[in-house]
Amino acid sequence: MVCALGAAVCFGTATVLQAVAAREAGTGGGGEAALLLRALRQWRYIAGLALDGLGFLFQIAALRSLPIYAVSAALAASLAVTAVVAARLLRVRLSGTEWGAVAVVCAGLGMLGLASGPEGSQDGSDALRYVMLAVAIGMLLLALAGGRLSGPGRALALGLGAGFGFGVVEVSVRLIDSLAPLDLLANPATYALLLGGGAAFMLLTSALQRGSVTTATAGMVIGETIGPAAVGVVWLGDRTREGLTWLAVLGFAVAVAGALALARFGEAPVEEPPGA
């Protein structure tokens, strides 16, 4: 759980840096890939990517020892870290309710830590690996078409897509059972991980820069928690400690609910013009 919390700290801090950088990148043209390239010219976005890389290493370590549902909830709880960092670095004021939500997230993670058993012993079938690859390709197509989407459902679609992309990464890590170069090249989960991660970053960058980011962030939290947790329990054998299934379910629900309450912190604060 220490590694999962370390990943949450890295991802939560990176969100603040990337949200500001995405807004500074401007709208411009050229679609979602061009937006990502403009964001990459911002030092805050690069710093955020470095933290994301460190967080990913923590995430891999956590997924090798914990069930996916516990890691998913911890990663969703990175929004609590985002809220605290935004309050300190960006002078964003948290209400009493939001501080309460941070406490709720911590309580949920505490319950998960007590109830989580070891990771599942099942390796996953080849069919599941190809399903993850198909989902990753679908999210990549959504990312490339994101600039053409319109309407009130756009932010939710982008957020869910980013969440599904990150969820593919979580599951794919568990489906990679050998790090030998030839085994990696022959494993569909390797390509699912790369495509899913790339698509998730493109979708998240678009969501942070356009539309209702609060809605998009809430969609991302749902996409990266519920789906991967279900895959872990149904297909990979993730279980809880004996007699503590109820505590794990309660902790998962509490942590995700607290994260959703903090969804607005996926959005960079908008500076008011001088004299406003």
Side-chain angles (χ1 to χ4, degrees), residues 228-257:
V231 171
V233 171
V234 175
W235 284 286
L236 298 178
D238 288 346
R239 295 293 181 265
T240 64
R241 293 183 182 178
E242 188 68 27
L244 292 180
T245 299
W246 67 271
L247 186 61
V249 172
L250 179 61
F252 181 88
V254 167
V256 173

Side-chain angles (χ1 to χ4, degrees), residues 121-265:
S121 58
Q122 299 179 28
D123 295 330
S125 64
D126 287 338
L128 181 58
R129 291 176 171 85
Y130 281 107
V131 168
M132 289 299 104
L133 179 57
V135 174
I137 292 173
M139 294 308 99
L140 183 61
L141 293 176
L142 175 62
L144 294 175
R148 301 183 181 91
L149 298 178
S150 60
R154 181 179 189 275
L156 182 60
L158 292 174
L160 281 172
F164 287 145
F166 288 128
V168 166
V169 171
E170 294 175 34
V171 176
S172 297
V173 168
R174 285 279 297 276
L175 296 175
I176 296 175
D177 48 13
S178 173
L179 297 180
L182 291 179
D183 291 336
L184 286 174
L185 290 174
N187 192 340
T190 303
Y191 305 101
L193 187 153
L194 296 174
L195 292 176
F201 272 115
M202 291 175 64
L203 287 163
L204 180 58
T205 301
S206 180
L208 291 172
Q209 199 273 333
R210 299 186 176 100
S212 173
V213 184
T214 298
T215 301
T217 305
M220 183 184 71
V221 169
I222 294 172
E224 73 177 346
T225 53
I226 297 177
V231 171
V233 171
V234 175
W235 284 286
L236 298 178
D238 288 346
R239 295 293 181 265
T240 64
R241 293 183 182 178
E242 188 68 27
L244 292 180
T245 299
W246 67 271
L247 186 61
V249 172
L250 179 61
F252 181 88
V254 167
V256 173
L260 290 174
L262 294 166
R264 79 177 181 95
F265 289 97

Side-chain angles (χ1 to χ4, degrees), residues 91-135:
R91 303 293 191 271
V92 176
R93 180 174 297 178
L94 272 68
S95 67
T97 301
E98 286 163 339
W99 279 116
V102 172
V104 164
V105 167
C106 295
L109 292 177
M111 286 185 276
L112 270 175
L114 290 173
S116 297
E119 67 168 338
S121 58
Q122 299 179 28
D123 295 330
S125 64
D126 287 338
L128 181 58
R129 291 176 171 85
Y130 281 107
V131 168
M132 289 299 104
L133 179 57
V135 174

